[in-house]
């Protein structure tokens, strides 16, 4: 009985294999590589900002200066219209607007918003000082890309 069972199982496998079909597909792969030319932009440095203990949140705007309705700012070494502006070696034809997180050595964060005006070679920024900001040097970086046609 076992012999007949094995023979019928083998016959079934042979019959199934004989009726199998093979399918295939041809796939085209494509990649376009562009090499970017490097341009330069000045670093953005807001200088030294001294705030009151338990300060409220406020903003330093590169164009407007200090926007501090809470009187939390004691001093700032920056200059209105200069500090917070980066001059680049190109003129911007595309919009750029990005929030950048600046961190200190303890991992505390402040936010820098960077934007541009079309036709200008400048990146302009605002720096948001959060309530009860922790002391330290805050740093971060970002990449600016420009597409030319």
């Amino acid at each position: 009985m076992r012999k007949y069972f094995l023979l019928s199982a083998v016959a079934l496998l042979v019959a199934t294999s004989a009726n199998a079909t093979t399918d295939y597909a041809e796939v085209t792969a494509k990649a376009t590589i562009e090499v970017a030319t490097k341009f330069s932009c000045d670093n953005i440095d807001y200088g030294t900002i001294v705030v009151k203990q338990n300060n409220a949140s406020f903003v330093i705007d590169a164009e407007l200066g200090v926007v501090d309705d809470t009187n939390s700012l004691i001093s700032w070494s920056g200059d209105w219209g200069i500090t917070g502006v980066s001059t680049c070696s190109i003129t911007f034809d595309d919009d750029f607007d990005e929030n950048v997180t600046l961190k200190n050595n303890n991992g505390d964060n402040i936010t820098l918003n960077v934007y541009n005006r079309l036709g200008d070679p400048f990146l302009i920024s605002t720096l948001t000082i959060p309530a009860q900001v922790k002391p330290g040097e805050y740093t971060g970086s970002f990449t600016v890309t420009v597409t030319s046609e």
Side-chain angles (χ1 to χ4, degrees), residues 24-106:
Y24 74 97
E26 292 183 18
V27 178
T28 301
K30 178 181 175 182
T32 302
I33 306 294
E34 293 183 1
V35 178
T37 303
K38 187 173 183 176
F39 62 92
S40 63
C41 293
D42 297 333
N43 289 332
I44 296 174
D45 186 351
Y46 271 85
T48 301
I49 302 162
V50 181
V51 300
K52 293 179 181 177
Q53 188 172 10
N54 298 319
N55 68 290
S57 177
F58 66 94
V59 173
I60 300 176
D61 187 298
E63 294 183 293
L64 303 176
V66 178
V67 180
D68 179 10
D69 296 331
T70 64
N71 295 316
S72 293
L73 179 69
I74 294 174
S75 68
W76 171 47
S77 66
D79 293 322
W80 292 322
I82 299 171
T83 302
V85 175
S86 173
T87 302
C88 298
S89 61
I90 61 153
T91 300
F92 292 98
D93 296 326
D94 296 324
D95 285 328
F96 182 81
D97 190 348
E98 185 169 333
N99 285 324
V100 181
T101 300
L102 307 182
K103 294 184 178 192
N104 68 9
N105 289 338
N106 297 325

